Amino acid sequence: MSKLAAIESRFQENVLSGNPAILAEIGGRDDGFRDERLAIYRNAYRLRLAEVLGNDYGVLHTCLGDEAFEALAQDYLGAHPSTFRNVRWFGGRLADFIEGNPRYAAHPELGELARFEWALGLAFDSQDEGFVRFEDVAAVPPEAWVDLRFRPHPSLQTLRMRSNAVAIWKAITDEQPVPEPVVAPESVTWAVWRKQLSPFFRSVEADEAWALQAMVSQASFGELCAGMCEWIAEDQAAARAAGLLRGWVEEGWIAQLRLSA
């Protein structure tokens, strides 16, 4: 390693972890003074990452307030130092961090709010790809429907949440009074996706939530119909599955139809 590369490496270690090995390369009257100079970079680095989190989780930031969000950001950075070349992905584990931190155990809406905001960002950033249209579905031969499978659009995600995090997000976004946090006895599944250039979301009923997960897991249309029998009569299952499929096509959730060879 060249001398310059070694100095750069020690400087990076100081910024990331406070390693004092670089002190000898810094001008100044004593180590205390040198460390103060280096602290400018250490603090700037942490502040920049906290700013990134604030941008990615703007509604969570508003919900918590500046002081509490800054404390959360610094705790997160301490637990998950950035390992990404692209800072876009730095905040990807924030929801897990909140949900696993005893400090926030009494507020499950915070972790779910973070998870919802991250999903919206992923939907917005997802790969551009076309989607199946009604005429594509109509062109499927009748004998192929039983084994027909689907590739979901890259932007489509599902979240299971028990709190009213979505209502809190919407109230803050619309600058309306924020409802008190509520945790329901049963979780609700939400679909998040991008339509045109904007993220969209909606809740789904239990049978559709199952069917959606099955579709993403490459279940065939015949298997979707069979699964519907857990909720409705067998003679109505195919119609229900077809109705769900129509809605998915309408929303742009399916990128490709896959016919058996």
Side-chain angles (χ1 to χ4, degrees):
M1 181 182 294
S2 69
K3 182 177 180 180
L4 176 59
I7 291 173
E8 290 175 339
S9 178
R10 289 195 291 269
F11 176 76
Q12 182 184 53
E13 290 174 3
N14 184 271
V15 170
L16 295 177
S17 66
N19 188 322
I22 189 63
L23 285 177
E25 306 290 344
I26 306 300
R29 59 181 179 270
D30 55 42
D31 283 352
F33 179 78
R34 297 184 187 100
D35 190 60
E36 286 182 7
R37 298 181 73 178
L38 287 166
I40 295 172
Y41 297 95
R42 290 198 301 270
N43 293 337
Y45 172 73
R46 297 180 73 89
L47 288 171
R48 177 67 183 111
L49 288 177
E51 181 184 354
V52 168
L53 288 179
N55 291 335
D56 288 341
Y57 297 97
V59 173
L60 178 64
H61 186 172
T62 300
C63 184
L64 285 173
D66 291 341
E67 185 175 342
F69 186 83
E70 176 64 22
L72 170 63
Q74 295 305 324
D75 287 347
Y76 177 72
L77 178 55
H80 300 290
S82 180
T83 59
F84 301 97
R85 293 183 180 274
N86 185 344
V87 77
R88 167 67 180 90
W89 307 113
F90 168 59
R93 291 185 285 181
L94 185 63
D96 289 338
F97 175 74
I98 293 172
E99 291 173 351
N101 192 320
R103 178 184 298 181
Y104 307 104
H107 297 281
E109 75 281 0
L110 297 178
E112 293 190 347
L113 181 56
R115 197 172 300 283
F116 181 67
E117 282 202 88
W118 188 255
L120 291 174
L122 290 180
F124 182 79
D125 289 343
S126 67
Q127 177 183 343
D128 288 329
E129 189 167 348
F131 47 85
V132 168
R133 301 181 184 277
F134 290 118
E135 51 265 35
D136 302 319
V137 178
V140 175
E143 65 274 13
W145 273 90
V146 170
D147 295 320
L148 180 65
R149 287 173 168 80
F150 315 90
R151 181 165 63 83
H153 193 273
S155 71
L156 179 64
Q157 304 158 76
T158 58
L159 305 173
R160 295 183 65 182
M161 296 190 286
R162 291 181 57 196
S163 75
N164 60 337
V166 175
I168 292 172
W169 179 91
K170 193 172 188 308
I172 293 174
T173 301
D174 294 342
E175 298 184 346
Q176 297 296 316
V178 179
E180 289 294 320
V182 175
V183 177
E186 300 291 336
S187 63
V188 174
T189 298
W190 291 82
V192 179
W193 74 102
R194 188 183 68 226
K195 194 172 185 178
Q196 297 177 341
L197 299 178
S198 298
F200 279 71
F201 55 91
R202 71 169 174 86
S203 61
V204 296
E205 298 293 334
D207 62 339
E208 183 174 13
W210 174 86
L212 195 53
Q213 289 296 333
M215 181 270 285
V216 170
S217 299
Q218 292 301 291
S220 68
F221 183 74
E223 291 167 333
L224 295 181
C225 293
M228 288 292 97
C229 295
E230 182 175 341
W231 289 274
I232 57 178
E234 184 176 352
D235 61 353
Q236 299 173 348
R240 174 58 173 162
L244 292 177
L245 177 59
R246 179 180 180 84
W248 299 346
V249 171
E250 187 175 60
E251 297 291 11
W253 291 2
I254 299 177
Q256 183 185 34
L257 301 176
R258 288 178 168 170
L259 300 172
S260 297

